[in-house]
Amino acid sequence: MTNAEIIALTQNNIVDTYTRFPVAIVKGRGTRLWDANGREYLDFVSGIAVCNTGHNHPKVVAAIQAQAENLLHVSNLYNIEPQAKLGALLNANSFADRVFFCNSGSEANEAAIKLSRKYFSSRGDDRFQIITMKKSFHGRTFATLSATGQQKVQVGFEPLLETFAYAPFNDINAVEALITDRTAAILTEPIQGEGGVNLPDADYLKGLRRLCDENGLLLIFDEVQVGAGRTGKLFAYENYGVEPDIMTLAKGLGGGVAIGAMLATEQVAAALTPGTHGSTFGGNPLATAAAYAAVKAILEEGMLDNCKKVGAYLHDRLGGLREKYSFVKEVRGKGLILGVEIEVPAAPIVTGCLERGLLILSAGEFVLRFLPALIVTEAEVDEMMAVLTAVLDEVEQARG
């Protein structure tokens, strides 16, 4: 099928919940994608931080093929070998002792919210409220939508769950002011992705840990977008010298296959007992085999070091845009999640890059976001910059 045929079929049959670009991607290898018409694209989106190991990493593909030949699905009423191996691998490389597997970031955050309530109710304490941050994004289910500190994604779905309070990101005093005897947990992304690639101040996450310890609260880190090596560490919290009680993962965890996970300490996880939570497809053999291969590749193939090295190079190259273009305000990020704040709408720039064979995306109306695979090279950064600057040159000329 051609791009036009696939687009028409989509428009006639799929619920219109996405503003889709007029291309149909049919093939991927490494940092490259091809559409149905055979056009090649350099991908600095990675499925929105999903394909961290690159498209169709050979070890992930091999793991999927091998698992598909043996067993695609079996109920969680039985023990599942790749699930057990993945859980052990994640626990061995994190603060956690226990893992609950699901199918998405929203489900992982839903599980974290439920666990925070169950933890206190099992202790005879009626705490239930969770403090989250403005400009956050935690998912599309009702609980995670309510937890998200962005009104634009909540409009039309009211009334929301009235169990969340919102503080400005990076304002420890504002968080402290919201704590009451009904507060159960503080939930935050270590680095906000959808909210504009916003980094925490040096002591912000440590301050949240202190508030939780002083008030008997749980600290939850949403690492759906920034986990799985995206910051140059396997988990973003490792950059800041603080550990949570609960952490959520998805996106890059599966190497392109849908999977989510909630990790927790032994003490906290013990609140979830048989029958209190579950997921039919969560931790299925196919997804966990893929994720095990993906995490092993991130840890063993130098991807974390490459993320730091090429991430610093990309940051420097993007930083040079401030000297060249009057509308570029700030470059921020860590590893290979980087944002460029601009004074003009980001959408036309994203479209202009697409038309030239480069995929980038925005984070809000005025931030360009860059999320290449962890295997990206400096030469590919240079290639991306050549396209980006050509588009920005046109923007600058149009501004006069």
Side-chain angles (χ1 to χ4, degrees), residues 145-164:
L145 184 71
S146 300
T148 294
Q150 297 191 62
Q151 189 176 12
K152 69 179 182 180
V153 301
Q154 299 171 337
V155 173
F157 299 103
E158 301 89 347
L160 303 173
L161 299 183
E162 297 178 357
T163 55
F164 297 92

Side-chain angles (χ1 to χ4, degrees), residues 133-269:
M133 309 307 152
K134 295 179 180 179
K135 297 185 178 181
S136 61
F137 184 83
H138 298 295
R140 301 283 188 175
T141 65
F142 243 102
T144 58
L145 184 71
S146 300
T148 294
Q150 297 191 62
Q151 189 176 12
K152 69 179 182 180
V153 301
Q154 299 171 337
V155 173
F157 299 103
E158 301 89 347
L160 303 173
L161 299 183
E162 297 178 357
T163 55
F164 297 92
Y166 313 102
F169 188 69
N170 265 335
D171 189 338
I172 197 72
N173 293 326
V175 175
E176 186 170 18
L178 290 173
I179 296 174
T180 72
D181 59 1
R182 291 292 181 265
T183 305
I186 297 171
L187 165 62
T188 189
E189 300 153 277
I191 298 171
Q192 290 187 330
E194 300 293 331
V197 191
N198 302 312
L199 270 67
D201 293 337
D203 293 326
Y204 177 65
L205 298 182
K206 289 183 179 180
L208 295 181
R209 178 74 271 175
R210 174 183 57 80
L211 288 179
C212 288
D213 293 342
E214 291 175 353
N215 293 277
L217 314 179
L218 299 178
L219 180 59
I220 307 171
F221 284 163
D222 175 346
E223 294 217 13
V224 168
Q225 186 163 153
V226 297
R230 178 57 51 184
T231 65
K233 299 283 189 180
L234 187 59
F235 305 114
Y237 75 80
E238 297 178 87
N239 294 287
Y240 300 101
V242 57
E243 294 183 348
D245 302 294
I246 303 170
M247 177 176 67
T248 57
L249 301 170
K251 288 190 180 287
L253 179 61
V257 174
I259 187 172
M262 179 197 68
L263 287 70
T265 63
E266 183 77 51
Q267 179 186 7
V268 176

Side-chain angles (χ1 to χ4, degrees), residues 30-325:
T31 59
R32 307 283 168 166
L33 292 169
W34 288 265
D35 68 20
N37 292 352
R39 187 180 185 188
E40 180 179 324
Y41 299 84
L42 177 60
D43 184 14
F44 269 59
V45 176
S46 302
I48 312 184
V50 168
C51 300
N52 287 8
T53 55
H55 295 285
N56 290 40
H57 188 285
K59 290 183 179 177
V60 175
V61 172
I64 292 170
Q65 291 172 333
Q67 188 60 50
E69 290 180 351
N70 290 318
L71 182 67
L72 287 174
H73 177 78
V74 66
S75 170
N76 277 302
L77 295 173
Y78 309 101
N79 294 286
I80 300 170
E81 181 182 359
Q83 179 187 123
K85 290 171 62 178
L86 177 59
L89 182 63
L90 293 175
N91 288 336
N93 286 278
S94 75
F95 73 96
D97 304 300
R98 299 284 174 174
V99 185
F100 171 81
F101 288 111
C102 49
N103 308 289
S104 68
S106 292
E107 290 179 51
N109 284 327
E110 189 89 14
I113 291 166
K114 288 183 68 175
L115 175 55
S116 68
R117 283 195 174 190
K118 189 65 167 57
Y119 174 76
F120 285 103
S121 67
S122 66
R123 295 154 61 99
D125 193 331
D126 60 355
R127 298 188 188 198
F128 59 86
Q129 188 177 63
I130 298 175
I131 298 170
T132 66
M133 309 307 152
K134 295 179 180 179
K135 297 185 178 181
S136 61
F137 184 83
H138 298 295
R140 301 283 188 175
T141 65
F142 243 102
T144 58
L145 184 71
S146 300
T148 294
Q150 297 191 62
Q151 189 176 12
K152 69 179 182 180
V153 301
Q154 299 171 337
V155 173
F157 299 103
E158 301 89 347
L160 303 173
L161 299 183
E162 297 178 357
T163 55
F164 297 92
Y166 313 102
F169 188 69
N170 265 335
D171 189 338
I172 197 72
N173 293 326
V175 175
E176 186 170 18
L178 290 173
I179 296 174
T180 72
D181 59 1
R182 291 292 181 265
T183 305
I186 297 171
L187 165 62
T188 189
E189 300 153 277
I191 298 171
Q192 290 187 330
E194 300 293 331
V197 191
N198 302 312
L199 270 67
D201 293 337
D203 293 326
Y204 177 65
L205 298 182
K206 289 183 179 180
L208 295 181
R209 178 74 271 175
R210 174 183 57 80
L211 288 179
C212 288
D213 293 342
E214 291 175 353
N215 293 277
L217 314 179
L218 299 178
L219 180 59
I220 307 171
F221 284 163
D222 175 346
E223 294 217 13
V224 168
Q225 186 163 153
V226 297
R230 178 57 51 184
T231 65
K233 299 283 189 180
L234 187 59
F235 305 114
Y237 75 80
E238 297 178 87
N239 294 287
Y240 300 101
V242 57
E243 294 183 348
D245 302 294
I246 303 170
M247 177 176 67
T248 57
L249 301 170
K251 288 190 180 287
L253 179 61
V257 174
I259 187 172
M262 179 197 68
L263 287 70
T265 63
E266 183 77 51
Q267 179 186 7
V268 176
L272 288 181
T273 54
T276 56
H277 195 50
S279 171
T280 296
F281 292 105
N284 67 78
L286 189 68
T288 50
Y292 182 78
V295 174
K296 290 281 282 185
I298 290 171
L299 290 172
E300 296 175 357
E301 295 183 7
M303 293 188 196
L304 297 177
D305 288 339
N306 189 70
C307 179
K308 287 182 280 191
K309 175 177 175 288
V310 180
Y313 182 74
L314 175 57
H315 192 287
D316 288 344
R317 290 298 314 271
L318 292 172
L321 299 176
R322 295 181 60 194
E323 300 175 3
K324 187 174 182 180
Y325 302 105

